[in-house]
mmCIF file of all heavy atoms in Angstrom:
data_model
loop_
_atom_site.group_PDB
_atom_site.id
_atom_site.type_symbol
_atom_site.label_atom_id
_atom_site.label_comp_id
_atom_site.label_asym_id
_atom_site.label_seq_id
_atom_site.Cartn_x
_atom_site.Cartn_y
_atom_site.Cartn_z
ATOM 1 N N GLY A 93 13.092 22.264 6.074
ATOM 2 C CA GLY A 93 13.784 22.453 4.863
ATOM 3 C C GLY A 93 15.192 22.087 4.869
ATOM 4 O O GLY A 93 15.632 21.014 5.240
ATOM 5 N N GLU A 94 16.089 23.058 4.391
ATOM 6 C CA GLU A 94 17.580 22.752 4.351
ATOM 7 C C GLU A 94 18.093 22.473 5.698
ATOM 8 O O GLU A 94 19.062 21.702 5.801
ATOM 9 C CB GLU A 94 18.236 23.950 3.595
ATOM 10 C CG GLU A 94 17.961 24.096 2.182
ATOM 11 C CD GLU A 94 18.538 22.864 1.397
ATOM 12 O OE1 GLU A 94 19.661 22.356 1.826
ATOM 13 O OE2 GLU A 94 18.002 22.444 0.376
ATOM 14 N N GLY A 95 17.664 23.251 6.720
ATOM 15 C CA GLY A 95 18.126 22.972 8.008
ATOM 16 C C GLY A 95 17.768 21.582 8.482
ATOM 17 O O GLY A 95 18.647 20.837 9.131
ATOM 18 N N ALA A 96 16.657 21.044 8.188
ATOM 19 C CA ALA A 96 16.364 19.719 8.568
ATOM 20 C C ALA A 96 17.183 18.706 7.802
ATOM 21 O O ALA A 96 17.596 17.618 8.439
ATOM 22 C CB ALA A 96 14.879 19.443 8.336
ATOM 23 N N LEU A 97 17.340 18.894 6.535
ATOM 24 C CA LEU A 97 18.302 18.028 5.730
ATOM 25 C C LEU A 97 19.722 18.073 6.274
ATOM 26 O O LEU A 97 20.296 16.983 6.428
ATOM 27 C CB LEU A 97 18.205 18.518 4.179
ATOM 28 C CG LEU A 97 19.190 17.705 3.295
ATOM 29 C CD1 LEU A 97 18.963 16.182 3.390
ATOM 30 C CD2 LEU A 97 19.147 18.294 1.956
ATOM 31 N N GLN A 98 20.281 19.275 6.563
ATOM 32 C CA GLN A 98 21.591 19.246 7.132
ATOM 33 C C GLN A 98 21.742 18.465 8.482
ATOM 34 O O GLN A 98 22.634 17.796 8.672
ATOM 35 C CB GLN A 98 22.070 20.635 7.232
ATOM 36 C CG GLN A 98 23.524 20.829 7.635
ATOM 37 C CD GLN A 98 24.434 20.175 6.669
ATOM 38 O OE1 GLN A 98 24.385 20.486 5.349
ATOM 39 N NE2 GLN A 98 25.181 19.211 7.027
ATOM 40 N N PHE A 99 20.707 18.640 9.291
ATOM 41 C CA PHE A 99 20.694 17.981 10.556
ATOM 42 C C PHE A 99 20.704 16.456 10.397
ATOM 43 O O PHE A 99 21.479 15.753 10.992
ATOM 44 C CB PHE A 99 19.509 18.398 11.406
ATOM 45 C CG PHE A 99 19.315 17.598 12.570
ATOM 46 C CD1 PHE A 99 19.993 17.793 13.742
ATOM 47 C CD2 PHE A 99 18.363 16.610 12.648
ATOM 48 C CE1 PHE A 99 19.880 17.150 14.989
ATOM 49 C CE2 PHE A 99 18.127 15.890 13.733
ATOM 50 C CZ PHE A 99 18.869 16.128 14.936
ATOM 51 N N ALA A 100 19.772 15.943 9.434
ATOM 52 C CA ALA A 100 19.830 14.540 9.091
ATOM 53 C C ALA A 100 21.068 14.087 8.643
ATOM 54 O O ALA A 100 21.515 13.003 9.005
ATOM 55 C CB ALA A 100 18.706 14.331 8.126
ATOM 56 N N LEU A 101 21.714 14.726 7.747
ATOM 57 C CA LEU A 101 23.080 14.329 7.202
ATOM 58 C C LEU A 101 24.052 14.199 8.402
ATOM 59 O O LEU A 101 24.960 13.355 8.469
ATOM 60 C CB LEU A 101 23.509 15.226 6.070
ATOM 61 C CG LEU A 101 22.649 15.204 4.817
ATOM 62 C CD1 LEU A 101 23.168 16.255 3.861
ATOM 63 C CD2 LEU A 101 22.574 13.894 4.200
ATOM 64 N N ASP A 102 24.001 15.217 9.259
ATOM 65 C CA ASP A 102 24.934 15.331 10.377
ATOM 66 C C ASP A 102 24.726 14.182 11.283
ATOM 67 O O ASP A 102 25.620 13.690 11.999
ATOM 68 C CB ASP A 102 24.670 16.583 11.160
ATOM 69 C CG ASP A 102 25.241 17.808 10.434
ATOM 70 O OD1 ASP A 102 25.953 17.747 9.430
ATOM 71 O OD2 ASP A 102 24.914 18.983 10.774
ATOM 72 N N GLN A 103 23.537 13.634 11.359
ATOM 73 C CA GLN A 103 23.137 12.531 12.230
ATOM 74 C C GLN A 103 23.482 11.150 11.568
ATOM 75 O O GLN A 103 23.135 10.132 12.150
ATOM 76 C CB GLN A 103 21.640 12.625 12.636
ATOM 77 C CG GLN A 103 21.379 13.852 13.547
ATOM 78 C CD GLN A 103 22.003 13.624 14.928
ATOM 79 O OE1 GLN A 103 22.097 12.713 15.514
ATOM 80 N NE2 GLN A 103 22.655 14.813 15.270
ATOM 81 N N GLY A 104 23.920 11.166 10.309
ATOM 82 C CA GLY A 104 24.217 9.977 9.655
ATOM 83 C C GLY A 104 23.258 9.459 8.629
ATOM 84 O O GLY A 104 23.423 8.308 8.067
ATOM 85 N N PHE A 105 22.187 10.082 8.412
ATOM 86 C CA PHE A 105 21.300 9.689 7.491
ATOM 87 C C PHE A 105 21.820 9.920 6.046
ATOM 88 O O PHE A 105 22.623 10.846 5.765
ATOM 89 C CB PHE A 105 19.886 10.464 7.594
ATOM 90 C CG PHE A 105 19.143 10.115 8.764
ATOM 91 C CD1 PHE A 105 19.358 10.750 9.978
ATOM 92 C CD2 PHE A 105 18.200 9.123 8.814
ATOM 93 C CE1 PHE A 105 18.723 10.519 11.159
ATOM 94 C CE2 PHE A 105 17.465 8.796 9.951
ATOM 95 C CZ PHE A 105 17.751 9.510 11.131
ATOM 96 N N GLU A 106 21.456 9.082 5.109
ATOM 97 C CA GLU A 106 22.031 9.132 3.717
ATOM 98 C C GLU A 106 21.016 9.808 2.743
ATOM 99 O O GLU A 106 19.839 9.646 2.900
ATOM 100 C CB GLU A 106 22.434 7.778 3.184
ATOM 101 C CG GLU A 106 23.404 7.011 4.052
ATOM 102 C CD GLU A 106 23.797 5.670 3.284
ATOM 103 O OE1 GLU A 106 23.125 5.311 2.291
ATOM 104 O OE2 GLU A 106 24.758 5.074 3.918
ATOM 105 N N LYS A 107 21.562 10.628 1.943
ATOM 106 C CA LYS A 107 20.826 11.370 0.951
ATOM 107 C C LYS A 107 20.315 10.341 -0.240
ATOM 108 O O LYS A 107 21.299 9.663 -0.767
ATOM 109 C CB LYS A 107 21.529 12.531 0.395
ATOM 110 C CG LYS A 107 20.774 13.499 -0.373
ATOM 111 C CD LYS A 107 21.706 14.794 -0.546
ATOM 112 C CE LYS A 107 20.910 15.866 -1.301
ATOM 113 N NZ LYS A 107 21.755 17.041 -1.642
ATOM 114 N N GLU A 108 19.142 10.394 -0.586
ATOM 115 C CA GLU A 108 18.630 9.444 -1.597
ATOM 116 C C GLU A 108 17.614 10.221 -2.533
ATOM 117 O O GLU A 108 17.023 11.154 -2.125
ATOM 118 C CB GLU A 108 17.852 8.301 -0.911
ATOM 119 C CG GLU A 108 18.744 7.414 0.067
ATOM 120 C CD GLU A 108 18.063 6.411 0.748
ATOM 121 O OE1 GLU A 108 17.481 5.431 -0.056
ATOM 122 O OE2 GLU A 108 17.883 6.222 1.881
ATOM 123 N N ASN A 109 17.557 9.638 -3.685
ATOM 124 C CA ASN A 109 16.433 10.069 -4.614
ATOM 125 C C ASN A 109 15.146 9.430 -4.317
ATOM 126 O O ASN A 109 15.006 8.092 -4.415
ATOM 127 C CB ASN A 109 16.928 9.708 -6.035
ATOM 128 C CG ASN A 109 15.818 10.097 -7.040
ATOM 129 O OD1 ASN A 109 14.967 10.983 -6.731
ATOM 130 N ND2 ASN A 109 15.823 9.564 -8.238
ATOM 131 N N LEU A 110 14.146 10.168 -3.922
ATOM 132 C CA LEU A 110 12.871 9.598 -3.421
ATOM 133 C C LEU A 110 11.828 9.565 -4.565
ATOM 134 O O LEU A 110 10.700 9.044 -4.435
ATOM 135 C CB LEU A 110 12.387 10.408 -2.218
ATOM 136 C CG LEU A 110 13.301 10.502 -1.063
ATOM 137 C CD1 LEU A 110 12.565 11.260 0.060
ATOM 138 C CD2 LEU A 110 13.644 9.077 -0.522
ATOM 139 N N LEU A 111 12.132 10.125 -5.766
ATOM 140 C CA LEU A 111 11.133 10.283 -6.801
ATOM 141 C C LEU A 111 11.308 8.928 -7.729
ATOM 142 O O LEU A 111 12.206 8.831 -8.428
ATOM 143 C CB LEU A 111 11.572 11.503 -7.615
ATOM 144 C CG LEU A 111 10.536 11.748 -8.785
ATOM 145 C CD1 LEU A 111 9.061 12.137 -8.186
ATOM 146 C CD2 LEU A 111 11.035 12.926 -9.725
ATOM 147 N N THR A 112 10.294 8.091 -7.510
ATOM 148 C CA THR A 112 10.262 6.887 -8.262
ATOM 149 C C THR A 112 9.729 7.097 -9.643
ATOM 150 O O THR A 112 9.087 8.014 -9.891
ATOM 151 C CB THR A 112 9.295 5.807 -7.482
ATOM 152 O OG1 THR A 112 7.987 6.400 -7.468
ATOM 153 C CG2 THR A 112 9.780 5.591 -6.147
ATOM 154 N N PRO A 113 9.998 6.147 -10.591
ATOM 155 C CA PRO A 113 9.506 6.242 -11.952
ATOM 156 C C PRO A 113 8.011 6.387 -11.969
ATOM 157 O O PRO A 113 7.527 7.189 -12.720
ATOM 158 C CB PRO A 113 9.926 4.924 -12.639
ATOM 159 C CG PRO A 113 11.200 4.614 -11.808
ATOM 160 C CD PRO A 113 11.020 4.953 -10.393
ATOM 161 N N GLN A 114 7.262 5.734 -11.113
ATOM 162 C CA GLN A 114 5.834 5.802 -11.054
ATOM 163 C C GLN A 114 5.349 7.251 -10.584
ATOM 164 O O GLN A 114 4.437 7.746 -11.248
ATOM 165 C CB GLN A 114 5.308 4.746 -10.090
ATOM 166 C CG GLN A 114 3.749 4.703 -10.063
ATOM 167 C CD GLN A 114 3.306 3.713 -9.027
ATOM 168 O OE1 GLN A 114 4.035 3.089 -8.253
ATOM 169 N NE2 GLN A 114 1.978 3.478 -8.998
ATOM 170 N N ALA A 115 6.038 7.761 -9.663
ATOM 171 C CA ALA A 115 5.705 9.128 -9.092
ATOM 172 C C ALA A 115 6.002 10.211 -10.191
ATOM 173 O O ALA A 115 5.255 11.156 -10.404
ATOM 174 C CB ALA A 115 6.305 9.424 -7.804
ATOM 175 N N LYS A 116 7.166 9.888 -10.812
ATOM 176 C CA LYS A 116 7.601 10.958 -11.885
ATOM 177 C C LYS A 116 6.597 10.921 -13.108
ATOM 178 O O LYS A 116 6.231 12.016 -13.685
ATOM 179 C CB LYS A 116 8.961 10.652 -12.451
ATOM 180 C CG LYS A 116 9.519 11.742 -13.368
ATOM 181 C CD LYS A 116 10.915 11.375 -13.847
ATOM 182 C CE LYS A 116 11.478 12.489 -14.682
ATOM 183 N NZ LYS A 116 10.610 12.858 -15.887
ATOM 184 N N ALA A 117 6.166 9.782 -13.430
ATOM 185 C CA ALA A 117 5.155 9.663 -14.485
ATOM 186 C C ALA A 117 3.885 10.387 -14.216
ATOM 187 O O ALA A 117 3.275 11.079 -15.065
ATOM 188 C CB ALA A 117 4.944 8.196 -14.841
ATOM 189 N N ALA A 118 3.389 10.259 -13.006
ATOM 190 C CA ALA A 118 2.245 10.870 -12.570
ATOM 191 C C ALA A 118 2.449 12.491 -12.594
ATOM 192 O O ALA A 118 1.601 13.239 -12.985
ATOM 193 C CB ALA A 118 1.910 10.494 -11.143
ATOM 194 N N TRP A 119 3.629 12.850 -12.253
ATOM 195 C CA TRP A 119 3.884 14.274 -12.215
ATOM 196 C C TRP A 119 3.996 14.826 -13.671
ATOM 197 O O TRP A 119 3.513 15.896 -13.983
ATOM 198 C CB TRP A 119 5.277 14.602 -11.494
ATOM 199 C CG TRP A 119 5.694 15.977 -11.476
ATOM 200 C CD1 TRP A 119 5.173 17.120 -10.934
ATOM 201 C CD2 TRP A 119 6.888 16.531 -12.228
ATOM 202 N NE1 TRP A 119 5.877 18.218 -11.154
ATOM 203 C CE2 TRP A 119 7.004 17.989 -11.932
ATOM 204 C CE3 TRP A 119 7.880 15.905 -13.003
ATOM 205 C CZ2 TRP A 119 7.917 18.631 -12.395
ATOM 206 C CZ3 TRP A 119 8.948 16.706 -13.457
ATOM 207 C CH2 TRP A 119 8.914 18.120 -13.164
ATOM 208 N N ASP A 120 4.595 14.049 -14.521
ATOM 209 C CA ASP A 120 4.734 14.441 -15.958
ATOM 210 C C ASP A 120 3.357 14.504 -16.517
ATOM 211 O O ASP A 120 3.003 15.447 -17.356
ATOM 212 C CB ASP A 120 5.466 13.309 -16.769
ATOM 213 C CG ASP A 120 7.012 13.371 -16.515
ATOM 214 O OD1 ASP A 120 7.465 14.437 -16.018
ATOM 215 O OD2 ASP A 120 7.670 12.355 -16.733
#
């Protein structure tokens, strides 16, 4: 969860939007 995300950011990974239009349409 949040701990994994904070660790990733601390290690230099970049935060990105992973929800593509195709996946959002399926969710809608």
